[in-house]
Structure formats: structure tokens, C-alpha cells
Amino acid sequence: MRLKQGPQGRDGGNGKQEEIFQRYRPLIIKLWQRYYVSGLELADWEQEARLVILRVLELYRGDGKDQFSGFLKQSLVNRILDLYRARQAHKRIPAEKIGALTPESEEMLQEQPWRQPEELVHGHFCLRQLIAACSPFERQVLISYNQGYSTDEVAERLRCTKRQVQSAMGRSRRKMLEIIQAS
């Protein structure tokens, strides 16, 4: 796509921004589907994409080294990852709110009979159901996590993206919850 210079070009005037948005809308939707961000509706993501397009129109220099579509795509990916990180940051518990165990709570934990035989049998039953319900990729991710690998290490081992590993773990968790609730 050739961007015109001047008052009607890069600044998005005369519908240029809308034209670009409509042209790249399939990419925008594909990125929204690929990078799942909890609570981000398609309409909200489209608004974010429009802002990214405005910014890209301001920054793009068209010097021949960078293709406009590649620059736009990378800018959209960066924005959606920023939104994901922002949502994840709200889930964290601030360090000052986490305290050490008191001697009373340590005693309570040691005195509890946590592992009753029927609980172990039920746990093994649920685990077998989970393994049967998971896809081969989800099983590989679960096994890798069980072996102590981090998300980055799992992604490297399975030759996939970190996001794919996180999505597989999310699906596995949902399946496990369904199994536990059903039993």
C-alpha cells in the first residue's frame, strides 16, 4: 500500500485511517483470536487497533526497509501484548500484602490430615480423566510443567510460542475444573 504524503496522507485525513482499518481488519481479527486477552471484546480491540493505526501513520517513514503491513502488524501485536500484560498485572498480589506464616498457622498445617486414602483415589481418578480429555499438545505441556520446566522452557522444548503454552495450560485447567465439578 502506498501512503500519500501531505495533508491527506499520513495524518489519516479524508478517510485514510478508515480505509487502512478496513483493509487490515482480517489481520486485526486474527490477532484478537490468536492472542486471547481476558475481557477484551472484539469491539474494544478494534478501537485499540484504530489507535494503533493512527500512531503507525504518524511514525511510518516508508524508507523501503520496512513494509507498512509488517510495521502495522508488529505494532498491533505489541499493543495486544501490552493489554495482556496490563490485565495480568492486576492479578498479582502486592509484596507488602504477603506475610510470613505465623507459628499458629504452621502448627495448623502440620496437624491437618490432608491425605485421606479416598482423597488420593479420587485425585488419581480425576487425573486419569484429565489425561484422556486433553489433546496430545496439552498432555505434553502438562507433563513438562510437572517435570518443573518454566513456561519459556516448555515453549522452547515443544517448539511453539509462550502464548500457545499458556493457552494449553488454561484449557487444561478449565477441563480439570469441569472434571472435579462433575465428580
Side-chain angles (χ1 to χ4, degrees), residues 64-83:
K65 294 178 184 170
D66 295 330
Q67 294 290 326
F68 178 79
S69 59
F71 186 56
L72 176 62
K73 180 180 179 183
Q74 189 59 54
S75 298
L76 289 166
V77 168
N78 291 345
R79 182 62 188 145
I80 204 163
L81 292 175
D82 287 345
L83 293 170

Side-chain angles (χ1 to χ4, degrees), residues 92-171:
R92 296 188 186 122
I93 301 171
E96 62 271 2
K97 291 189 177 182
I98 299 174
L101 288 176
T102 63
E104 297 82 28
S105 57
E106 284 183 34
E107 280 181 34
M108 185 183 78
L109 287 173
Q110 291 172 355
E111 293 174 4
Q112 286 289 339
W114 292 104
R115 301 286 192 266
Q116 298 296 328
E118 55 273 1
E119 290 175 339
L120 290 173
V121 170
H122 180 71
H124 284 275
F125 173 75
C126 290
L127 187 57
R128 276 192 225 104
Q129 284 187 315
L130 175 64
I131 290 169
C134 286
S135 69
F137 179 71
E138 291 167 345
R139 281 194 291 272
Q140 288 178 321
V141 170
L142 284 172
I143 289 168
S144 297
Y145 268 112
N146 189 47
Q147 292 172 342
Y149 291 101
S150 70
T151 304
D152 292 327
E153 292 169 333
V154 173
E156 187 178 322
R157 283 184 82 206
L158 300 179
R159 292 185 178 93
C160 63
T161 66
K162 184 177 174 181
R163 182 72 185 133
Q164 289 171 315
V165 171
Q166 292 168 333
S167 294
M169 278 304 295
R171 290 189 304 273

